[in-house]
Structures are given as structure tokens and as C-alpha cells.
Amino acid sequence: MKDVVDFLGQFDRCLASEPAFCMAACPFHLDVREFTERVEQGRGRAAYSLYREATGFPGIVSRICERPCEKVCPMREKGGAIRLREIERAVCADAEGAIPESYNLPARGKCVAIIGAGLCGLGCALRLAQKKYDVEIFEARDAVCGTGWESKELLETAQSEIERQFKNETVTLHLNTCVEKREDLAGRGFDAVFVCTGEGGETFETKGTKGDGSSGSRDERGRFIRLETKGDGSSGSESKENHLAHSLYGEVGAVWLTGGALTGHTGSEALAHGLRAAAAIDAFLRTGNLVFPKDVRTTKMVLAPLKLERIPASFPEEIPVDETGAAAEAARCLRCRCDACMLYADLPA
């Protein structure tokens, strides 16, 4: 029996469940293996559902994503990295007009305020509204989406996508409404407040401290709250105090968090941070404990370049991948998994 136990202990080092290189680099942790498989099989709507679940606003992310996946794709030197953003854009174009699913869930009876209607705040609002929390957004400007868009056309596309994804959700939006101090929201019944006022915006005194030297602090109820920190994403790196991915301030019956560009996240990273903030708020309102989901961008898999075969890209880089070519480009994806045990086992295949 002891031998069996020792043998089972080897599974602790098994890499079979490790994320692919691209998935580890993705701020949304999109399951690229499953996504490209669905596209290759011609299951465009199924691929779109997976992509929408991961990103919240697929029509936006497919246009603004910084493509970190391509920088780590094993195929980048063997015919070109998989043009994943182009595939995503083709999938979104094919699903144009698809209405998000509507779920008949009971109201949670909890209310969340979001200060700032940029991508970070909107992502957080969407996730919480889908879970049937009462959500109110306060935006100082006269429109959603924030600033810094490359063109008016892209901004209008983003606003149309936001309207589409919120079609089945109820959110109270206060435009031209500037929240100047914490007291402005006092007595309004909010159970949590998410502050995403943009780079250099008002923080409302939410800067957290590590206090006892641990990676967190305690709120006024004495509950321990862990802080997520933003490092360089490399294996074994230590996150630094001055790069807090979010900070918070506990109150009796409420919690304040900050995120988005206010804490150093921009573009698609800000949206992904808003989605994670929604998960943290949901957990807090259900359990009374706030643990911000970790954004792990590493994988233990190791590339074996000698085993890679060159597979030319389906389209020249200057030509967009259209709907018909998405399947061919998706088929180039290796869907990286550790297969060392199968390759080197003594047992016959």
C-alpha cells in the first residue's frame, strides 16, 4: 500500500492540467484550446459563447486586445503565431445579431455602486447584473466607455456592443453625475462600491496597507482581506507594494475596492480586472469574505521546439482572416498540452 501511496504522490507534479502558453498570457484566461477546436469544427456560435463568457464584451476585446497570446505562441517561429485576435473577430462577425442569453434568476437583494463607466466599471457591472445584483453606475461624463479610443468609429462600435450585452440586464446609469466624496453615497444602501475613475482619478481614500506585514489587511469587522498585487507575470517574481492591482477599505456592512486604470490596468487589462472585481464582490456579498481572484499568468509547461513542424499561416499577415478562413487558421493551433508521459512511457501505445 505504501508503494501505491508513493506512486500517487507523483501526480502532484503532473502538468496535464497546466494552461497552454497562450491561455496563461491572456488577461481573460480564455480557454484557447477549446475555442480554436470549436472554430475548426465549424461551431461558430459555440465558440462565440465561450469567448463572450470569458471577455464580457467580445465585440470590443476582439478589436482592442493587445494580443499577448501571439508573443508566446510556439508557432511564431514556425509559420507565424496563430492569429487568434483575427479568429475572434471573425467569430464575432459571424455571431453579429446574437442576443445574450437571459436567465430567470431571483434578485440578490444587494446593491453595488460603481464609480466610473469605463471598460473596467462596465465589465464589473455586467457580471454583477447577470448575477441579479442591483447595480448603479455613476459617470461624471455624458457617455460611457471612458476616453482614449483610437477613433470615433471604434468608440461607437464599443458603445453598440455594450448596449447589446446589457440588453437583458437592468442597470441604473447616472450620467453627468460626479461623486466627489464618500459621503455622497452614504445612506443609499450600497453593500459594496467599486471605484474605477481612471488614471489619476479620485481614490476616495481606498488605498490599502499591508499592516501586519502580511499580504492583506483587516476590515472594521476584523475579517482578513487578501490583496492581489500586480507583478511582472514571470515565474517566481515577487509583486511589489507600489504595484497594487487593487486596494480596498473595509466598512461595517460595505466594502470599497478600486480597479482599472486607477490601479495601472489599461485597455483589455482594465476590462479583465473589472470582471475579476465582480467575482470578488459577489464572493464578499455571499460569504462576508473578500478574496480578489489571482491573475496568474504562468504555466509550468516547457516547449520542445525540435518537435515542432512548420505550418504556414493560412493568410498573409496583411490580409484579415475572414469567416471562411477562421477554421483553417484555428486548425494550425497546436492546443498545447504536456504529453511527456505518453511520449516516453515504456508501455506500448
Side-chain angles (χ1 to χ4, degrees), residues 23-29 68 233-234 265 269 272 276 295-299:
M23 181 178 177
C26 176
F28 301 97
H29 302 291
S234 61
H265 299 76
E269 293 268 357
R276 293 199 304 278
D295 182 23
V296 180
R297 302 286 186 88
T298 60
T299 180

Side-chain angles (χ1 to χ4, degrees), residues 67-82:
R67 299 183 290 183
C69 54
E70 294 188 13
K71 298 177 182 178
V72 297
C73 178
M75 296 300 295
R76 63 187 182 279
E77 304 295 337
K78 296 290 184 177
I82 306 301

Side-chain angles (χ1 to χ4, degrees), residues 109-159:
K110 300 286 186 178
C111 191
V112 180
I114 297 176
I115 307 176
L119 288 182
C120 181
L122 291 169
C124 183
L126 178 63
R127 280 287 189 265
L128 292 174
Q130 289 171 336
K131 295 178 180 294
K132 305 309 175 187
Y133 288 102
D134 294 329
V135 180
E136 294 190 35
I137 305 175
F138 298 86
E139 169 56 48
R141 301 169 65 249
D142 60 358
V144 301
C145 273
T147 60
W149 292 88
E150 293 181 4
S151 65
K152 182 179 179 181
E153 178 185 3
L154 183 56
L155 174 60
E156 291 175 348
T157 299
Q159 291 173 335

Side-chain angles (χ1 to χ4, degrees), residues 56 65 90 108 144 155 205 218 246 281 295 298 305 330 334 340 346:
C65 180
R108 293 296 181 96
V144 301
L155 174 60
E205 302 177 358
R218 295 184 181 275
H246 88 292
I281 292 171
D295 182 23
T298 60
L334 300 176
D346 293 332

